[in-house]
């Protein structure tokens, strides 16, 4: 499994958010309340994160994302705060493509959604 490069910073606090993935399935019935059942006992969260990279860090991130991370398809180990044990190593992968915006400096503001297990 790939790991988050040590040369890249941790996510910024601003905009960092965690949302649990719905682990239930709802079935509407012809009459009465919908039937709700558990799909999985595993806890998965979706994390919205952003980073601020220099040009060199942006190049390293792109190379890592394209190679080790298989364009976001592979799981990787990363230190994140998931709200239950402080900063700890978790398994994550990208949910769709990342986005970036150039900032003065030159700096890059990169944001993405991650699924964490």
């Amino acid at each position: 499994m790939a790991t988050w490069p040590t040369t890249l910073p941790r996510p910024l606090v601003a905009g960092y958010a965690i949302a649990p993935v719905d682990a239930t399935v709802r079935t509407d019935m012809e009459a009465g309340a919908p039937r709700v059942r558990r799909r999985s006992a595993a806890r998965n969260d979706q994390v919205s994160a952003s980073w601020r990279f220099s040009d060199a860090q942006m190049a390293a991130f792109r190379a890592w994302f394209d190679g080790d991370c298989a364009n976001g398809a592979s799981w990787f180990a990363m230190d994140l705060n998931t709200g239950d044990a402080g900063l700890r190593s978790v398994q994550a992968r990208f949910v769709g493509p990342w986005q970036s915006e150039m900032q003065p400096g030159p700096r890059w503001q990169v944001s993405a959604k991650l699924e964490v297990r």
Side-chain angles (χ1 to χ4, degrees), residues 93-113:
R93 84 174 154 194
F94 287 85
V95 178
W98 49 270
Q99 300 83 35
S100 67
E101 182 180 324
M102 190 165 199
Q103 304 285 310
R107 307 285 286 175
W108 292 92
Q109 181 84 20
V110 175
S111 59
K113 288 198 184 293

Side-chain angles (χ1 to χ4, degrees), residues 1-116:
M1 177 185 315
T3 58
W4 181 256
T6 57
T7 58
L8 299 180
R10 290 191 182 111
L12 300 170
V13 172
Y16 187 87
I18 300 172
V21 174
D22 189 3
T24 62
V25 176
R26 293 179 67 87
T27 303
D28 290 327
M29 309 306 280
E30 282 188 39
R35 181 174 177 219
V36 180
R37 60 196 178 283
R38 192 179 204 178
R39 178 181 306 165
S40 171
R43 185 178 78 184
N44 293 314
D45 294 322
Q46 195 168 81
V47 173
S48 297
S50 61
W51 301 265
R52 192 163 290 130
F53 296 146
S54 67
D55 283 343
Q57 289 171 324
M58 183 65 166
F61 170 74
R62 291 184 68 133
W64 172 81
F65 183 85
D66 294 343
D68 294 355
C69 200
N71 290 94
S74 294
W75 290 95
F76 59 94
M78 176 182 211
D79 289 341
L80 289 176
N81 187 338
T82 57
D84 54 0
L87 191 64
R88 65 184 178 94
S89 182
V90 297
Q91 293 179 2
R93 84 174 154 194
F94 287 85
V95 178
W98 49 270
Q99 300 83 35
S100 67
E101 182 180 324
M102 190 165 199
Q103 304 285 310
R107 307 285 286 175
W108 292 92
Q109 181 84 20
V110 175
S111 59
K113 288 198 184 293
L114 305 171
E115 57 184 327
V116 175

